[in-house]
Amino acid sequence: MTNQTNTERQVILTGDRATGPLHLGHYVGSLKQRVSLQDEHDQTILVADMQGLTDNAHNPSKVSSSILNVVADYLAVGIDPRKTTVCLQSQLPALAELTMYYSNVVTVTRLERNPTVKSEIKSKGFERSLPAGFLTYPISQAADITAFNATLVPVGDDQLPMIEQTNEIVRKINSLAGKPVLKECKPLLSNASRLPSTDGKNKMSKSMGNTINLGATEKEISTAVRSMYTDPDHLKVEDPGKVEGNVVFTYLDAFHPDIKYVSQLKKHYQRGGLGDGTTKKILEECLQEVLKPIRERREKYLKDKAQLIDILRAGSEISREKTNDILLRVKSVFGLNLF
Ligand code: ATP
Ligand code: MG
C-alpha cells in the first residue's frame, strides 16, 4: 500500500460489473484491499449493473440476477456496510448524465486506443456488432469515479487505462472551468493485480468462464487445482522445474500466508525432487482454508435477500446526493446552470 494511503484520508471508489459471482481474481486483486481500507478511508463500492449491460444487453437477466450475489460476496469477504457505502449504478442517474457530458470531450480514436477495451473487443468477437455502450464504457467509469470525487481506486491492472482516461477527462473539465472542479485519482494495485486463469492463458474473468468463484464448492476447488497448468517440461519428480509461469506457484504467492515456506518450496521445485502432485495438494489445502469461511458466510447472506436490498438501497440514497452535487458542478462548467 502506498504511504499516501497510510497518512491521508482518501475518497475511494471501486466497483465490479454485475456479470456473475466474484472470484479469486477479485479477492486478491481488489477485495482484500477494500476490506483493510474501509477502516481509515471514505469508501464507496459500486455494483456496476449498467456497465454489465454493455456486453450483455441480449441477456439482461445475467446482469439483474447477479446484483445480489455480488453484494453477498462483498459481505462474505468482510466488507462492512457500516463502514463502506455499497450502491447500485442504475440507481444513480447523475452517472448517466455525467457520461453524456464527458462523451463530448473524448474522441472515438482515443476510445479505440484503450488496450483493455481493444483486447476485450477482440476476445468477445464483436467486429461490426460492437455496441456503442461497450466502446464508451471507460467514459462511464470516469463518470463513476469523478462523481464521488474519488482520489484512490483499488483495481486490477486491466483497469489502469481506465484511470488514465479518467484523469484526462478531469484535466479537460478543469481546464474548461479554469479552476479545479474535479480531482485526479490514483490506482491502487495489489501484489496480485492480474490473477491468471487455472490454464495460465488469460486473466481470470467472469466473461471467460475460467473462474474459481468465492462460493466454489470443495469439489470445484479440488478439480480446478488438479487441472492447473504447471511446468510442461517437469516430467519426473526429480527433474528441476520452472516456477515462472507455473500457475500453482502464482497462486501460492497470492494466497499462501507463509511467504518463507513458499520461497522454500520454490527452491526445492527448481532444484528437483518436488512433484506437481505435492505442490497442488499444498495449494488445494490453502485455497480450501481461504474459501470455506467465505462460502459459508456467502450462503448465509444469500438467505436474506431483503437485507441485501436494504443495504443497496441505503447506500444508493447516500450516493445519489453526492453524485448529484458533482453533476451540478460539471453542468455549470458547460454553463448549464440557468435554474
Ligand atoms: P467481466 O469478465 O464481466 O469483465 P471480471 O471478472 O473482469 O468480469 P470486473 O467486474 O470487470 O471482473 O472487475 C472488477 C475488479 O476486479 C476490477 O478492479 C478488476 O481489475 C479486478 N479483477 C478482475 N479480475 C481480476 C484478476 N484476474 N486479477 C486481479 N484483479 C482482477
Ligand atoms: Mg472485467
Side-chain angles (χ1 to χ4, degrees), residues 14-30 34 51 55-56 62 120 124 137 154-159 190 192-197 202-208 211:
T14 59
D16 306 279
R17 286 152 47 89
T19 46
L22 302 187
H23 51 70
L24 287 179
H26 295 111
Y27 186 63
V28 285
S30 171
R34 300 182 199 176
Q51 199 198 113
D55 53 338
N56 290 292
K62 178 174 166 187
E120 286 174 335
K124 289 173 198 287
Y137 88 72
V155 281
D157 73 359
D158 60 309
Q159 294 302 306
S190 78
S193 59
R194 181 178 287 252
L195 192 76
S197 53
N202 294 292
K203 157 182 136 22
M204 179 178 281
S205 83
K206 292 181 232 116
S207 53
M208 301 284 286
T211 60

Short mmCIF file of all heavy atoms in Angstrom, two decimals, residues 14-30 34 51 55-56 62 120 124 137 154-159 190 192-197 202-208 211, ligand 1:
data_model
loop_
_atom_site.label_atom_id
_atom_site.label_comp_id
_atom_site.label_asym_id
_atom_site.label_seq_id
_atom_site.Cartn_x
_atom_site.Cartn_y
_atom_site.Cartn_z
N THR A 14 -14.57 2.09 -5.86
CA THR A 14 -14.26 0.92 -6.68
C THR A 14 -15.57 0.26 -7.05
O THR A 14 -16.62 0.66 -6.55
CB THR A 14 -13.44 -0.16 -5.93
OG1 THR A 14 -14.17 -0.59 -4.80
CG2 THR A 14 -12.09 0.32 -5.55
N GLY A 15 -15.50 -0.75 -7.87
CA GLY A 15 -16.74 -1.43 -8.22
C GLY A 15 -16.47 -2.69 -9.00
O GLY A 15 -15.32 -3.02 -9.33
N ASP A 16 -17.55 -3.40 -9.26
CA ASP A 16 -17.47 -4.64 -10.02
C ASP A 16 -18.69 -4.71 -10.91
O ASP A 16 -19.78 -4.29 -10.52
CB ASP A 16 -17.46 -5.83 -9.06
CG ASP A 16 -16.36 -5.69 -8.02
OD1 ASP A 16 -15.22 -6.01 -8.34
OD2 ASP A 16 -16.65 -5.20 -6.90
N ARG A 17 -18.48 -5.23 -12.11
CA ARG A 17 -19.61 -5.40 -13.01
C ARG A 17 -20.52 -6.51 -12.45
O ARG A 17 -20.01 -7.51 -11.95
CB ARG A 17 -19.10 -5.81 -14.39
CG ARG A 17 -18.46 -4.70 -15.16
CD ARG A 17 -17.41 -5.20 -16.14
NE ARG A 17 -17.84 -6.33 -16.94
CZ ARG A 17 -18.48 -6.23 -18.13
NH1 ARG A 17 -18.72 -5.05 -18.66
NH2 ARG A 17 -18.82 -7.31 -18.80
N ALA A 18 -21.83 -6.30 -12.57
CA ALA A 18 -22.75 -7.35 -12.12
C ALA A 18 -22.94 -8.34 -13.26
O ALA A 18 -23.96 -8.36 -13.94
CB ALA A 18 -24.08 -6.73 -11.71
N THR A 19 -21.89 -9.11 -13.52
CA THR A 19 -21.95 -10.06 -14.64
C THR A 19 -21.73 -11.50 -14.18
O THR A 19 -21.50 -12.38 -15.00
CB THR A 19 -20.88 -9.69 -15.71
OG1 THR A 19 -19.64 -9.44 -15.03
CG2 THR A 19 -21.29 -8.47 -16.49
N GLY A 20 -21.80 -11.72 -12.87
CA GLY A 20 -21.62 -13.08 -12.36
C GLY A 20 -21.01 -13.01 -10.97
O GLY A 20 -20.67 -11.92 -10.50
N PRO A 21 -20.88 -14.18 -10.32
CA PRO A 21 -20.32 -14.16 -8.97
C PRO A 21 -18.84 -13.76 -8.98
O PRO A 21 -18.14 -13.97 -9.97
CB PRO A 21 -20.50 -15.61 -8.50
CG PRO A 21 -20.76 -16.42 -9.71
CD PRO A 21 -21.25 -15.51 -10.80
N LEU A 22 -18.40 -13.17 -7.88
CA LEU A 22 -17.00 -12.74 -7.82
C LEU A 22 -16.08 -13.95 -7.59
O LEU A 22 -16.51 -14.99 -7.12
CB LEU A 22 -16.83 -11.69 -6.71
CG LEU A 22 -17.70 -10.44 -6.88
CD1 LEU A 22 -17.34 -9.38 -5.84
CD2 LEU A 22 -17.57 -9.84 -8.29
N HIS A 23 -14.82 -13.76 -7.98
CA HIS A 23 -13.90 -14.90 -7.99
C HIS A 23 -12.58 -14.57 -7.29
O HIS A 23 -12.41 -13.46 -6.76
CB HIS A 23 -13.66 -15.34 -9.44
CG HIS A 23 -13.27 -14.22 -10.38
ND1 HIS A 23 -12.06 -13.59 -10.33
CD2 HIS A 23 -13.95 -13.62 -11.39
CE1 HIS A 23 -11.99 -12.67 -11.27
NE2 HIS A 23 -13.14 -12.66 -11.92
N LEU A 24 -11.66 -15.52 -7.33
CA LEU A 24 -10.39 -15.33 -6.63
C LEU A 24 -9.59 -14.14 -7.16
O LEU A 24 -8.84 -13.51 -6.42
CB LEU A 24 -9.53 -16.60 -6.75
CG LEU A 24 -9.99 -17.80 -5.93
CD1 LEU A 24 -9.05 -18.99 -6.17
CD2 LEU A 24 -10.05 -17.47 -4.45
N GLY A 25 -9.76 -13.82 -8.44
CA GLY A 25 -9.07 -12.65 -9.02
C GLY A 25 -9.53 -11.38 -8.33
O GLY A 25 -8.73 -10.51 -8.00
N HIS A 26 -10.84 -11.28 -8.09
CA HIS A 26 -11.36 -10.11 -7.37
C HIS A 26 -10.81 -10.08 -5.96
O HIS A 26 -10.46 -9.01 -5.44
CB HIS A 26 -12.90 -10.17 -7.28
CG HIS A 26 -13.57 -10.07 -8.59
ND1 HIS A 26 -14.24 -11.11 -9.17
CD2 HIS A 26 -13.67 -9.05 -9.47
CE1 HIS A 26 -14.73 -10.74 -10.33
NE2 HIS A 26 -14.38 -9.50 -10.55
N TYR A 27 -10.75 -11.26 -5.36
CA TYR A 27 -10.34 -11.32 -3.95
C TYR A 27 -8.93 -10.76 -3.76
O TYR A 27 -8.72 -9.86 -2.95
CB TYR A 27 -10.42 -12.78 -3.47
CG TYR A 27 -10.17 -12.93 -1.99
CD1 TYR A 27 -11.01 -12.34 -1.07
CD2 TYR A 27 -9.07 -13.65 -1.53
CE1 TYR A 27 -10.79 -12.46 0.29
CE2 TYR A 27 -8.84 -13.78 -0.17
CZ TYR A 27 -9.69 -13.19 0.73
OH TYR A 27 -9.46 -13.30 2.07
N VAL A 28 -7.96 -11.26 -4.55
CA VAL A 28 -6.59 -10.77 -4.35
C VAL A 28 -6.32 -9.47 -5.11
O VAL A 28 -5.44 -8.70 -4.73
CB VAL A 28 -5.52 -11.81 -4.75
CG1 VAL A 28 -5.42 -12.91 -3.72
CG2 VAL A 28 -5.76 -12.37 -6.13
N GLY A 29 -7.09 -9.24 -6.20
CA GLY A 29 -6.83 -8.04 -6.99
C GLY A 29 -7.37 -6.78 -6.32
O GLY A 29 -6.79 -5.71 -6.46
N SER A 30 -8.48 -6.91 -5.58
CA SER A 30 -9.09 -5.69 -5.08
C SER A 30 -9.87 -5.85 -3.77
O SER A 30 -9.77 -4.99 -2.89
CB SER A 30 -10.00 -5.16 -6.20
OG SER A 30 -10.80 -4.11 -5.79
N ARG A 34 -9.86 -3.54 -0.22
CA ARG A 34 -11.02 -2.75 0.18
C ARG A 34 -11.36 -3.01 1.64
O ARG A 34 -11.75 -2.09 2.36
CB ARG A 34 -12.24 -3.12 -0.66
CG ARG A 34 -12.03 -2.89 -2.14
CD ARG A 34 -13.30 -3.25 -2.87
NE ARG A 34 -13.06 -3.49 -4.29
CZ ARG A 34 -13.99 -3.89 -5.13
NH1 ARG A 34 -15.22 -4.12 -4.71
NH2 ARG A 34 -13.70 -4.08 -6.39
N GLN A 51 -23.03 -0.96 -16.50
CA GLN A 51 -21.85 -1.33 -17.29
C GLN A 51 -21.91 -2.81 -17.68
O GLN A 51 -21.44 -3.20 -18.75
CB GLN A 51 -20.55 -1.04 -16.53
CG GLN A 51 -19.39 -0.98 -17.49
CD GLN A 51 -18.04 -1.13 -16.81
OE1 GLN A 51 -17.34 -2.11 -17.00
NE2 GLN A 51 -17.67 -0.13 -16.03
N ASP A 55 -22.17 -5.35 -22.63
CA ASP A 55 -21.92 -6.53 -23.47
C ASP A 55 -22.91 -7.65 -23.17
O ASP A 55 -22.69 -8.79 -23.57
CB ASP A 55 -20.47 -7.02 -23.35
CG ASP A 55 -20.05 -7.27 -21.92
OD1 ASP A 55 -20.66 -6.71 -21.00
OD2 ASP A 55 -19.08 -8.02 -21.71
N ASN A 56 -24.01 -7.30 -22.48
CA ASN A 56 -24.99 -8.35 -22.14
C ASN A 56 -26.43 -7.91 -22.37
O ASN A 56 -27.35 -8.48 -21.78
CB ASN A 56 -24.83 -8.76 -20.66
CG ASN A 56 -23.54 -9.53 -20.43
OD1 ASN A 56 -23.39 -10.65 -20.91
ND2 ASN A 56 -22.60 -8.91 -19.75
N LYS A 62 -28.78 -12.01 -16.96
CA LYS A 62 -27.45 -12.34 -16.42
C LYS A 62 -27.01 -11.23 -15.45
O LYS A 62 -26.43 -11.49 -14.40
CB LYS A 62 -26.45 -12.46 -17.58
CG LYS A 62 -25.03 -12.74 -17.13
CD LYS A 62 -24.15 -13.00 -18.33
CE LYS A 62 -22.69 -12.95 -17.99
NZ LYS A 62 -21.84 -13.04 -19.17
N GLU A 120 -10.58 -6.78 -25.18
CA GLU A 120 -11.90 -7.34 -24.87
C GLU A 120 -12.76 -7.43 -26.14
O GLU A 120 -13.46 -8.42 -26.36
CB GLU A 120 -12.62 -6.49 -23.81
CG GLU A 120 -12.03 -6.67 -22.41
CD GLU A 120 -12.62 -5.73 -21.36
OE1 GLU A 120 -13.12 -4.63 -21.73
OE2 GLU A 120 -12.56 -6.06 -20.17
N LYS A 124 -14.18 -10.96 -27.44
CA LYS A 124 -15.64 -11.15 -27.49
C LYS A 124 -16.14 -11.29 -28.93
O LYS A 124 -17.32 -11.55 -29.15
CB LYS A 124 -16.35 -9.99 -26.79
CG LYS A 124 -16.17 -9.99 -25.26
CD LYS A 124 -16.75 -8.73 -24.62
CE LYS A 124 -16.22 -8.52 -23.22
NZ LYS A 124 -16.74 -9.42 -22.21
N TYR A 137 -17.52 2.48 -22.51
CA TYR A 137 -17.63 2.24 -21.07
C TYR A 137 -16.52 2.90 -20.24
O TYR A 137 -16.75 3.26 -19.08
CB TYR A 137 -17.85 0.75 -20.75
CG TYR A 137 -16.64 -0.14 -20.59
CD1 TYR A 137 -15.80 -0.04 -19.47
CD2 TYR A 137 -16.33 -1.12 -21.52
CE1 TYR A 137 -14.71 -0.87 -19.30
CE2 TYR A 137 -15.24 -1.95 -21.36
CZ TYR A 137 -14.43 -1.82 -20.26
OH TYR A 137 -13.34 -2.63 -20.10
N PRO A 154 -8.80 1.20 -5.86
CA PRO A 154 -8.15 -0.12 -5.81
C PRO A 154 -8.66 -1.02 -6.94
O PRO A 154 -9.85 -1.33 -6.99
CB PRO A 154 -8.58 -0.70 -4.45
CG PRO A 154 -9.34 0.37 -3.75
CD PRO A 154 -9.78 1.36 -4.78
N VAL A 155 -7.77 -1.41 -7.84
CA VAL A 155 -8.18 -2.15 -9.05
C VAL A 155 -7.13 -3.18 -9.46
O VAL A 155 -5.99 -3.14 -9.01
CB VAL A 155 -8.32 -1.20 -10.27
CG1 VAL A 155 -9.62 -0.45 -10.24
CG2 VAL A 155 -7.12 -0.28 -10.40
N GLY A 156 -7.54 -4.07 -10.36
CA GLY A 156 -6.60 -4.95 -11.03
C GLY A 156 -5.93 -4.18 -12.16
O GLY A 156 -6.40 -3.10 -12.55
N ASP A 157 -4.84 -4.71 -12.71
CA ASP A 157 -4.06 -3.90 -13.67
C ASP A 157 -4.76 -3.70 -15.02
O ASP A 157 -4.40 -2.80 -15.77
CB ASP A 157 -2.63 -4.43 -13.83
CG ASP A 157 -2.56 -5.72 -14.62
OD1 ASP A 157 -3.61 -6.22 -15.04
OD2 ASP A 157 -1.43 -6.20 -14.81
N ASP A 158 -5.82 -4.48 -15.30
CA ASP A 158 -6.57 -4.24 -16.54
C ASP A 158 -7.28 -2.89 -16.50
O ASP A 158 -7.71 -2.38 -17.55
CB ASP A 158 -7.59 -5.36 -16.78
CG ASP A 158 -8.62 -5.46 -15.65
OD1 ASP A 158 -8.20 -5.53 -14.47
OD2 ASP A 158 -9.83 -5.44 -15.93
N GLN A 159 -7.40 -2.32 -15.30
CA GLN A 159 -8.14 -1.06 -15.16
C GLN A 159 -7.25 0.18 -15.25
O GLN A 159 -7.76 1.31 -15.20
CB GLN A 159 -8.88 -1.04 -13.82
CG GLN A 159 -9.98 -2.09 -13.74
CD GLN A 159 -11.00 -1.93 -14.85
OE1 GLN A 159 -11.56 -0.85 -15.02
NE2 GLN A 159 -11.23 -2.98 -15.61
N SER A 190 -2.76 -4.27 -6.10
CA SER A 190 -2.29 -5.21 -5.09
C SER A 190 -1.07 -5.93 -5.66
O SER A 190 -0.70 -5.72 -6.82
CB SER A 190 -3.39 -6.23 -4.78
OG SER A 190 -3.44 -7.20 -5.80
N ALA A 192 -1.06 -8.92 -6.43
CA ALA A 192 -1.56 -9.93 -7.39
C ALA A 192 -2.60 -9.24 -8.25
O ALA A 192 -3.79 -9.50 -8.14
CB ALA A 192 -2.16 -11.10 -6.65
N SER A 193 -2.12 -8.32 -9.08
CA SER A 193 -3.06 -7.44 -9.77
C SER A 193 -3.59 -8.03 -11.08
O SER A 193 -4.38 -7.40 -11.76
CB SER A 193 -2.41 -6.09 -10.04
OG SER A 193 -1.28 -6.28 -10.82
N ARG A 194 -3.15 -9.21 -11.43
CA ARG A 194 -3.72 -9.91 -12.59
C ARG A 194 -3.62 -11.41 -12.34
O ARG A 194 -2.67 -12.07 -12.80
CB ARG A 194 -2.98 -9.52 -13.88
CG ARG A 194 -3.55 -10.21 -15.12
CD ARG A 194 -2.83 -9.77 -16.37
NE ARG A 194 -3.20 -8.41 -16.73
CZ ARG A 194 -3.96 -8.08 -17.77
NH1 ARG A 194 -4.42 -9.01 -18.56
NH2 ARG A 194 -4.24 -6.84 -18.02
N LEU A 195 -4.55 -11.96 -11.61
CA LEU A 195 -4.52 -13.40 -11.33
C LEU A 195 -4.88 -14.15 -12.60
O LEU A 195 -5.93 -13.90 -13.20
CB LEU A 195 -5.51 -13.75 -10.21
CG LEU A 195 -5.34 -15.16 -9.66
CD1 LEU A 195 -4.12 -15.24 -8.74
CD2 LEU A 195 -6.59 -15.62 -8.93
N PRO A 196 -4.02 -15.08 -13.04
CA PRO A 196 -4.35 -15.82 -14.27
C PRO A 196 -5.43 -16.88 -14.02
O PRO A 196 -5.67 -17.26 -12.88
CB PRO A 196 -3.02 -16.50 -14.64
CG PRO A 196 -2.29 -16.64 -13.37
CD PRO A 196 -2.73 -15.49 -12.48
N SER A 197 -6.03 -17.34 -15.11
CA SER A 197 -6.95 -18.48 -15.01
C SER A 197 -6.12 -19.73 -14.72
O SER A 197 -4.89 -19.70 -14.83
CB SER A 197 -7.70 -18.62 -16.32
OG SER A 197 -6.78 -18.68 -17.39
N ASN A 202 -5.06 -16.77 -19.69
CA ASN A 202 -5.72 -15.45 -19.65
C ASN A 202 -5.84 -14.96 -18.22
O ASN A 202 -5.57 -15.70 -17.29
CB ASN A 202 -7.15 -15.58 -20.21
CG ASN A 202 -7.15 -15.95 -21.67
OD1 ASN A 202 -6.76 -15.17 -22.50
ND2 ASN A 202 -7.57 -17.17 -21.98
N LYS A 203 -6.31 -13.72 -18.08
CA LYS A 203 -6.69 -13.22 -16.77
C LYS A 203 -7.94 -13.99 -16.34
O LYS A 203 -8.81 -14.26 -17.16
CB LYS A 203 -7.00 -11.72 -16.90
CG LYS A 203 -7.89 -11.11 -15.85
CD LYS A 203 -8.14 -9.65 -16.16
CE LYS A 203 -9.55 -9.14 -16.03
NZ LYS A 203 -10.55 -9.74 -15.26
N MET A 204 -8.02 -14.36 -15.06
CA MET A 204 -9.27 -14.96 -14.59
C MET A 204 -10.36 -13.91 -14.74
O MET A 204 -10.20 -12.79 -14.25
CB MET A 204 -9.12 -15.38 -13.13
CG MET A 204 -10.39 -16.00 -12.57
SD MET A 204 -10.21 -16.57 -10.85
CE MET A 204 -9.36 -18.11 -11.07
N SER A 205 -11.44 -14.23 -15.44
CA SER A 205 -12.51 -13.24 -15.56
C SER A 205 -13.85 -13.91 -15.79
O SER A 205 -13.93 -14.97 -16.41
CB SER A 205 -12.20 -12.19 -16.62
OG SER A 205 -12.56 -12.67 -17.88
N LYS A 206 -14.89 -13.22 -15.28
CA LYS A 206 -16.23 -13.81 -15.32
C LYS A 206 -16.63 -14.16 -16.73
O LYS A 206 -17.16 -15.23 -16.99
CB LYS A 206 -17.24 -12.80 -14.76
CG LYS A 206 -17.11 -12.53 -13.28
CD LYS A 206 -18.19 -11.53 -12.86
CE LYS A 206 -17.65 -10.35 -12.11
NZ LYS A 206 -17.83 -9.09 -12.80
N SER A 207 -16.37 -13.24 -17.67
CA SER A 207 -16.91 -13.47 -19.01
C SER A 207 -16.13 -14.54 -19.78
O SER A 207 -16.59 -15.01 -20.81
CB SER A 207 -16.97 -12.16 -19.80
OG SER A 207 -15.73 -11.55 -19.75
N MET A 208 -14.96 -14.95 -19.28
CA MET A 208 -14.23 -16.02 -19.96
C MET A 208 -14.65 -17.39 -19.43
O MET A 208 -14.23 -18.43 -19.96
CB MET A 208 -12.72 -15.87 -19.74
CG MET A 208 -12.12 -14.57 -20.22
SD MET A 208 -11.92 -14.48 -22.00
CE MET A 208 -10.53 -15.56 -22.22
N THR A 211 -13.21 -19.16 -14.04
CA THR A 211 -13.02 -18.66 -12.68
C THR A 211 -13.07 -19.74 -11.61
O THR A 211 -13.64 -20.81 -11.82
CB THR A 211 -14.13 -17.65 -12.35
OG1 THR A 211 -15.39 -18.32 -12.44
CG2 THR A 211 -14.14 -16.48 -13.32
P1 ATP B 1 -16.02 -9.37 -16.71
O1 ATP B 1 -15.43 -10.58 -17.39
O2 ATP B 1 -17.51 -9.32 -16.74
O3 ATP B 1 -15.36 -8.09 -17.15
P2 ATP B 1 -14.22 -9.55 -14.46
O4 ATP B 1 -14.01 -10.91 -13.93
O5 ATP B 1 -13.19 -8.97 -15.37
O6 ATP B 1 -15.67 -9.55 -15.15
P3 ATP B 1 -14.78 -6.99 -13.29
O7 ATP B 1 -16.09 -6.76 -12.62
O8 ATP B 1 -14.59 -6.48 -14.68
O9 ATP B 1 -14.46 -8.57 -13.25
O10 ATP B 1 -13.59 -6.40 -12.40
C1 ATP B 1 -13.79 -5.83 -11.12
C2 ATP B 1 -12.47 -5.53 -10.47
O11 ATP B 1 -11.75 -6.73 -10.20
C3 ATP B 1 -11.53 -4.67 -11.33
O12 ATP B 1 -10.82 -3.80 -10.48
C4 ATP B 1 -10.60 -5.68 -11.93
O13 ATP B 1 -9.33 -5.12 -12.26
C5 ATP B 1 -10.46 -6.68 -10.79
N1 ATP B 1 -10.14 -8.00 -11.33
C6 ATP B 1 -10.94 -8.75 -12.14
N2 ATP B 1 -10.31 -9.89 -12.50
C7 ATP B 1 -9.09 -9.87 -11.89
C8 ATP B 1 -7.97 -10.77 -11.86
N3 ATP B 1 -7.99 -11.92 -12.53
N4 ATP B 1 -6.87 -10.42 -11.13
C9 ATP B 1 -6.85 -9.25 -10.44
N5 ATP B 1 -7.88 -8.36 -10.43
C10 ATP B 1 -8.98 -8.66 -11.14
#
